[in-house]
Amino acid sequence: MQLQTSTWLEVETYLASSTGLLIPIGATEQHGPNGLIGTDAICPETVARRVGDSLGALVGPTLNVGMSQHHMAFAGSMTLRPSTLISVVRDVVESVARHGFDSVYFLNGHGGNIATVNTAFGEIYGSGLRTGSGAPVRLRLRNWWSGKRVNKLGPELFANSDGAHATASEVSLSWYAHPDAVKRVEMSPKVAPYGPIRDAEDYRKRFPDGRIGSDPSLATVEAGEKLCAAAVADVEDDYRQFLKGG
């Protein structure tokens, strides 16, 4: 069930049986020579919608611009300041809490969001936020790639070449969601180097084509389908546990 394609009456009916809400959150940033700029939003949105369909969970709109300041030397990337993202997350949670949602689960697609979103959670908890009915609000942030099934599958598909950014896994999943947008590009070097992440200009010097430790030429739509199924199963388990108070 998608919030964006529901009416307020349908949402009110949903709240009579569940006060959980699943919100995809990602980023709009470069993903190397063959990765889609929307990868970090596409991946959690794709997984979240399938989880919603499977569990009958309500899925909110994707927050598709994140904290991507270190990618701003690459054309097309967008970023929010950390303080802006904190405000966005807080405003979204306060909005839905007013209507009675007391369990808000953010499914993340961008590692650069983690510290900022957790800071936003700290501010929300510190404010003592309650729903309109007085219930305390519970929050969870999970990465779509963090579950046991995905962690097992990634090395089976890509060995040691998945990497840390513009990974073969995330490129595959985004291609599975948008097979019409597949790009075939030769990588040089085949596997990108690793290194620290600092500011945008330093990032561009260290990682000229945008990749970190990865060979996304290994990406395929078929691998994306397998990763999607694994991620959906992982998130279903975790979301159920979250709704039970875990």
Side-chain angles (χ1 to χ4, degrees):
M1 181 178 177
Q2 305 298 312
L3 182 66
Q4 288 179 298
T5 55
S6 302
T7 67
W8 72 266
L9 291 167
E10 290 171 321
V11 175
E12 197 168 77
T13 299
Y14 173 87
L15 278 162
S17 60
S18 176
T19 54
L21 178 65
L22 202 166
I23 300 178
I25 183 170
T28 299
E29 62 182 41
Q30 68 83 19
H31 274 78
N34 68 344
L36 311 182
I37 287 176
T39 292
D40 282 351
I42 292 167
C43 290
E45 180 178 85
T46 301
V47 174
R49 289 188 173 188
R50 284 160 175 76
V51 171
D53 291 343
S54 175
L55 300 183
L58 185 63
V59 179
T62 303
L63 306 183
N64 56 13
V65 180
M67 208 302 287
S68 302
Q69 291 175 327
H70 47 294
H71 291 285
M72 291 305 293
F74 294 87
S77 297
M78 300 180 184
T79 190
L80 299 178
R81 289 168 292 182
S83 57
T84 304
L85 183 56
I86 289 169
S87 295
V88 168
V89 170
R90 185 166 180 173
D91 286 353
V92 167
V93 172
E94 289 177 350
S95 295
V96 298
R98 176 170 178 168
H99 305 305
F101 291 99
D102 59 18
S103 302
V104 187
Y105 185 108
F106 287 84
L107 184 62
N108 182 46
H110 173 49
N113 287 340
I114 295 171
T116 303
V117 174
N118 280 322
T119 299
F121 286 2
E123 288 197 0
I124 293 165
Y125 286 135
S127 73
L129 180 65
R130 297 290 188 270
T131 68
S133 62
V137 172
R138 297 186 311 114
L139 307 169
R140 178 168 291 180
L141 178 69
R142 286 291 182 269
N143 306 316
W144 71 263
W145 65 84
S146 293
K148 62 182 180 181
R149 296 174 182 86
V150 173
N151 281 333
K152 181 176 183 293
L153 182 59
E156 293 176 0
L157 292 170
F158 309 117
N160 297 320
S161 299
D162 206 18
H165 181 69
T167 68
S169 291
E170 62 185 340
V171 172
S172 293
L173 179 50
S174 70
W175 285 0
Y176 169 62
H178 295 280
D180 56 326
V182 169
K183 326 284 183 185
R184 292 297 176 193
V185 180
E186 288 192 16
M187 304 291 160
S188 181
K190 185 70 169 168
V191 179
Y194 281 95
I197 297 175
R198 298 188 176 118
D199 62 31
E201 285 68 32
D202 183 72
Y203 188 112
R204 183 66 185 260
K205 289 176 184 176
R206 290 179 185 275
F207 315 111
D209 69 359
R211 299 176 292 144
I212 302 179
S214 66
D215 177 13
S217 69
L218 299 173
T220 66
V221 171
E222 293 74 21
E225 183 175 13
K226 293 177 182 177
L227 286 160
C228 186
V232 168
D234 285 338
V235 174
E236 284 179 355
D237 288 348
D238 194 55
Y239 187 69
R240 287 192 192 99
Q241 194 67 26
F242 175 62
L243 293 183
K244 292 177 181 177

